[in-house]
């Protein structure tokens, strides 16, 4: 069964459609890049899958069942700017929130949850920062805390919205190694990604999106100049046609 | 218990309840909504009286709870249908409050509440309005009502602590993992409503806002942990009540006004002196950096 199976999903904010008839399904155990210009609806797609914005039509299936029945299988890394980092809490506490979905009503995170959360912090290299108030972390460290929280969710399918924004090159490589580790465990990871230069290096599959779905498939097949032009329109310039490394003009 | 002790106890209960509930309002950036609810519950009180013909605390709590929820609901509806959120709050707040004032003045003869009392509160009379069951004098009924509301608030926060926390910090994540964020929102709004009503008699509609917002805002400057913020806020609430009472005695001024002023004073001092976020802390930090460089 496919980890993510979406058919005919349309999403509109105030009647203005931002996603139209998106239909795709992805195979298990792949690292999948979601690529498209600003406002293409990448975040909206993830939110629609997770039931955070209503869909005007279409169906979403996670391993064959509606999302609501599969919450525990799904991990989520929101865009970093979506929360207030001045909230009075520390890194460990935020990562523990990844356990809340498993704990159930009226219960507190226990020793086991704390252990899982510490392991997750360790994995992203943030163990020493467990007690640090979250506003006193750098942007890249905050991003890693979010990643650790998703790891603590112990999910099978992960949705990550721009996890590389604000992280340095070394951290980015470390995160990619981590994602590959998840993949090796048979997990499926969908990542919204902006840097076209690294798409081929990072992702097995790529989803090209701009309100409609332009293409989905193995990266070497779909990540072509032709498809990129369809996705980005006139905003695409080519640094070097030969190595086929497209890059978006700012 | 002496007259003064009852007043201090009443004020302290107001301080603790408002202080704790207020923290969540600060964190969710809903101070304005609290302001609105603290006024619209007046309508709830009047309606509760007109329906039940009684001024018993329980009817007041139910009436206020319903109108408080209605306020939160109408604001939400206007907000999601495109009205700016501060305008939405303003419209709902003034309309419902005006309705409350009209009803109150129309039935003023029958309701022992008067507008002035509702707005300003009158903690001075609290000790005489006692609860008697089978001829036994059990102390001021306001104390019973406030105690009941405080315990209810504590129970709700205890049981829904992690749900309230995550839906305040990251509502999207909370929704994604199946936490009923909307339910938690209305739960908090109900807590604000009943806390307001219970505190109403003592400090009045206007000053209850001070007690809801100021201790929480102060505690926010002093700690990086939610649970400690709740404790500090409660302590500041009590300190304002006790300090306010003695200040009022000393200068023969309004007790509720002086309670709110003490809360404001504590906030001001914290704002200047807090080591973490205060002005002094910032100046010291800057100085230590510049001395390191020189
Ligand atoms: N809450 C909202 N209300 C109204 N319109 C919205 C809302 N959120 C997003 N939109 C609109 O929907 C479109 C898609 O937004 P979305 O955030 O999904 O884009 P994105 O692909 O994630 O962009 P980015 O690369 O900038 O993150 C945009 O045109 C945006 O203006
Ligand atoms: Mg986005």
């Amino acid at each position: 069964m496919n980890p993510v199976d979406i058919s005919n999903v349309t999403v509109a904010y105030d009647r203005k459609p931002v996603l139209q008839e998106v239909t795709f399904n992805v195979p298990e155990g792949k690292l999948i890049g979601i690529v498209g210009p600003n406002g293409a609806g990448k975040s909206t797609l993830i939110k629609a899958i997770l039931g955070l914005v209503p869909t005007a039509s279409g169906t979403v299936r996670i391993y064959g069942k509606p999302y609501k029945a599969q919450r525990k299988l799904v991990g989520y890394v929101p865009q970093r700017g979506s929360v207030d980092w001045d909230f009075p809490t520390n890194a460990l506490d935020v990562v523990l929130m990844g356990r809340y979905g498993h704990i159930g009503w009226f219960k507190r995170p226990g020793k086991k949850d704390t252990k899982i959360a510490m392991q997750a912090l360790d994995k992203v290299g943030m163990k020493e920062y467990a007690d640090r108030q979250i506003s006193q972390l750098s942007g890249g460290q905050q991003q890693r805390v979010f990643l650790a929280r998703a790891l603590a969710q112990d999910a099978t399918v992960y949705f990550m919205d721009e996890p590389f924004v604000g992280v340095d090159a070394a951290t980015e490589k470390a995160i990619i190694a981590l994602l590959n580790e998840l993949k090796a465990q048979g997990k499926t990871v969908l990542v919204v990604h902006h840097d076209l230069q690294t798409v081929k290096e990072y992702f097995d599959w790529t989803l090209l999106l701009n309100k409609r779905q332009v293409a989905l498939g193995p990266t070497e097949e779909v990540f072509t100049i032709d498809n990129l032009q369809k996705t980005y329109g006139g905003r695409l310039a080519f640094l070097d046609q030969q190595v086929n490394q497209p890059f978006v003009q700012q | 218990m002496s007259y003064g002790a009852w007043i201090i106890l009443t004020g302290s209960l107001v301080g603790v309840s408002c202080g704790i509930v207020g923290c969540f309002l600060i964190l969710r950036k809903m101070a304005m909504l609290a302001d609105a609810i603290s006024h619209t519950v007046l309508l709830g009180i009047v309606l509760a009286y007109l329906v039940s013909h009684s001024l018993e605390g329980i009817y007041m709590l139910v009436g206020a709870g319903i109108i408080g929820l209605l306020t939160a609901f109408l604001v939400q509806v206007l907000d999601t249908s495109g009205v700016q959120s501060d305008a939405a709050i303003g419209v709902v707040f003034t309309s419902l409050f005006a309705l409350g004032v009209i009803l109150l003045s129309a039935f003023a003869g029958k309701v022992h509440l008067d507008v002035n009392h509702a707005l300003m509160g009158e903690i001075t009379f609290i000790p005489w309005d006692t609860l008697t069951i089978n001829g036994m004098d059990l102390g001021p009924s306001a104390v019973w009502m406030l105690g009941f509301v405080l315990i209810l608030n504590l129970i709700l926060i205890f049981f829904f602590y992690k749900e309230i926390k995550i839906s305040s910090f990251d509502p999207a994540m909370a929704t994604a993992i199946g936490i009923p964020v909307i339910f938690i929102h209305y739960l908090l709004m109900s807590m604000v409503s009943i806390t307001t009503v219970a505190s109403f008699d003592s400090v009045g509609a206007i000053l209850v806002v001070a007690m809801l917002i100021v201790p929480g805002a102060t505690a926010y400057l002093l700690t990086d942990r939610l649970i400690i913020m709740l404790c500090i806020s409660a302590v500041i609430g009590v300190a304002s009540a006790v300090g306010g009472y003695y200040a009022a005695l000393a200068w023969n001024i309004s007790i509720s006004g002086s309670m709110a002023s003490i809360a404001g004073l504590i906030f001001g001092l914290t704002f200047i002196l807090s080591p973490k976020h205060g002005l002094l802390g910032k100046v010291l930090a800057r100085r230590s950096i510049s001395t390191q460089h020189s």
Side-chain angles (χ1 to χ4, degrees):
Chain A
M1 217 179 300
N2 290 96
V4 184
D5 187 346
I6 285 173
S7 75
N8 263 315
V9 166
T10 296
V11 177
Y13 291 113
D14 312 321
R15 296 203 192 84
K16 197 184 83 196
V18 295
L19 275 183
Q20 282 177 28
E21 291 157 19
V22 176
T23 301
F24 67 83
N25 61 68
V26 300
E28 195 169 39
K30 296 271 187 263
L31 210 54
I32 299 150
I34 302 176
V35 174
N38 292 132
K42 306 179 295 294
S43 300
T44 303
L45 174 65
I46 292 183
K47 286 180 188 159
I49 294 172
L50 302 185
L52 304 180
V53 296
T55 51
S57 65
T59 56
V60 172
R61 291 282 180 274
I62 304 288
Y63 281 104
K65 291 195 194 137
Y67 173 73
K68 278 196 174 124
Q70 306 283 53
R71 290 186 205 276
K72 284 186 188 161
L73 297 183
V74 178
Y76 177 38
V77 179
Q79 268 181 288
R80 181 162 54 86
S82 64
V83 304
D84 172 14
W85 291 94
D86 283 325
F87 197 87
T89 188
N90 61 23
L92 177 62
D93 238 17
V94 172
V95 177
L96 272 173
M97 289 179 189
R99 303 298 306 156
Y100 285 10
H102 296 265
I103 296 174
W105 287 98
F106 310 129
K107 291 194 208 117
R108 303 278 147 111
K111 280 211 177 71
K112 187 176 134 249
D113 300 299
T114 310
K115 202 173 137 219
I116 293 173
M118 282 309 285
Q119 280 168 352
L121 275 171
D122 197 18
K123 280 223 151 124
V124 300
M126 289 286 295
K127 206 172 165 185
E128 313 83 89
Y129 297 91
D131 294 328
R132 186 73 75 89
Q133 147 72 10
I134 53 173
S135 67
Q136 290 161 19
L137 298 169
S138 74
Q141 290 169 336
Q142 291 172 345
Q143 194 66 66
R144 284 191 271 167
V145 167
F146 259 9
L147 197 65
R149 183 176 72 173
L151 293 180
Q153 285 187 278
D154 195 18
T156 318
V157 187
Y158 285 96
F159 294 92
M160 307 190 175
D161 203 342
E162 306 196 19
F164 301 120
V165 167
V167 307
D168 59 29
T171 309
E172 181 164 328
K173 293 286 176 287
I175 293 177
I176 280 294
L178 196 67
L179 300 189
N180 277 309
E181 205 177 296
L182 292 174
K183 185 177 89 172
Q185 294 164 16
K187 303 186 173 184
T188 310
V189 185
L190 291 93
V191 181
V192 174
H193 191 58
H194 265 301
D195 181 8
L196 298 181
Q197 319 244 15
T198 47
V199 169
K200 279 193 167 170
E201 184 189 335
Y202 292 170
F203 302 109
D204 309 314
W205 274 44
T206 302
L207 169 66
L208 289 160
L209 189 73
N210 191 356
K211 295 209 172 78
R212 295 172 174 278
Q213 167 187 341
V214 178
L216 169 76
T219 305
E220 63 270 21
E221 283 172 30
V222 300
F223 198 70
T224 60
I225 307 262
D226 201 31
N227 278 337
L228 282 166
Q229 234 144 19
K230 275 191 213 151
T231 314
Y232 286 86
R235 279 186 285 165
L236 204 60
F238 298 98
L239 266 189
D240 187 343
Q241 296 264 3
Q242 229 106 61
V243 291
N244 194 8
Q245 286 215 320
F247 131 104
V248 181
Q249 266 180 341
Q250 295 302 315
Chain B
M1 240 159 79
S2 76
Y3 169 82
W6 281 123
I7 290 193
I8 290 180
L9 180 60
T10 310
S12 301
L13 287 169
V14 171
V16 175
S17 259
C18 290
I20 291 174
V21 172
C23 283
F24 295 109
L25 295 171
I26 300 283
L27 292 174
R28 298 163 76 95
K29 305 186 170 55
M30 295 192 317
M32 284 305 295
L33 194 51
D35 192 13
I37 288 181
S38 67
H39 285 71
T40 55
V41 291
L42 177 68
L43 176 61
I45 292 179
V46 180
L47 287 178
Y49 176 78
L50 293 178
V51 171
S52 71
H53 293 285
S54 136
L55 280 167
E56 295 256 347
I58 189 70
Y59 298 111
M60 302 289 124
L61 288 183
V62 172
I66 292 172
I67 296 297
L69 284 179
L70 181 71
T71 308
F73 175 74
L74 291 177
V75 169
Q76 189 92 0
V77 167
L78 290 184
D79 210 358
T80 49
S81 55
V83 181
Q84 288 200 333
S85 68
D86 53 348
I89 290 174
V91 169
V92 174
F93 161 11
T94 46
S95 318
L96 295 185
F97 182 60
L99 194 56
V101 172
I102 290 174
L103 287 178
L104 193 56
S105 56
F107 297 93
K110 293 177 198 151
V111 191
H112 111 125
L113 280 165
D114 64 88
V115 180
N116 218 7
H117 180 132
L119 292 182
M120 301 306 295
E122 207 34 273
I123 202 166
T124 337
F125 300 142
I126 291 285
W128 286 302
D129 182 8
T130 56
L131 184 71
T132 24
I133 293 177
N134 294 334
M136 261 219 324
D137 188 343
L138 299 171
S141 47
V143 168
W144 284 96
M145 183 144 102
L146 281 163
F148 170 74
V149 166
L150 175 61
I151 290 168
L152 191 63
N153 282 336
L154 290 177
I155 289 175
L156 290 173
I157 290 173
F158 180 80
F159 281 112
F160 294 105
Y161 188 71
K162 73 177 192 303
E163 285 78 14
I164 296 175
K165 183 162 152 187
I166 192 174
S167 48
S168 303
F169 173 63
D170 189 348
M173 168 79 171
T175 312
I177 63 176
I179 285 167
V181 173
I182 304 283
F183 167 75
I184 297 291
H185 174 75
Y186 286 116
L187 184 74
L188 279 171
M189 290 305 110
S190 318
M191 285 159 63
V192 172
S193 310
I194 61 169
T195 304
T196 305
V197 151
S199 314
F200 221 68
D201 254 352
S202 350
V203 295
I206 295 175
L207 294 178
V208 76
V209 184
M211 297 306 272
L212 277 170
I213 302 304
V214 181
T218 313
Y220 181 77
L221 294 175
L222 287 171
T223 178
D224 292 335
R225 301 278 300 169
L226 177 56
I227 187 79
I228 298 174
M229 180 176 166
L230 294 173
C231 298
I232 294 181
S233 185
V235 169
I236 292 175
V238 173
S240 312
V242 177
Y245 174 69
Y246 285 109
L249 271 195
W251 289 299
N252 194 23
I253 47 178
S254 143
I255 297 177
S256 54
S258 113
M259 284 179 182
S261 306
I262 297 284
L265 195 66
I266 296 176
F267 175 83
L269 287 176
T270 310
F271 182 69
I272 295 169
L273 299 177
S274 154
K276 273 209 162 95
H277 305 278
L279 294 179
L280 191 67
K282 280 178 191 149
V283 171
L284 288 180
R286 223 171 282 148
R287 185 161 308 163
S288 80
I289 290 169
S290 57
T291 48
Q292 270 166 25
H293 282 264
S294 58

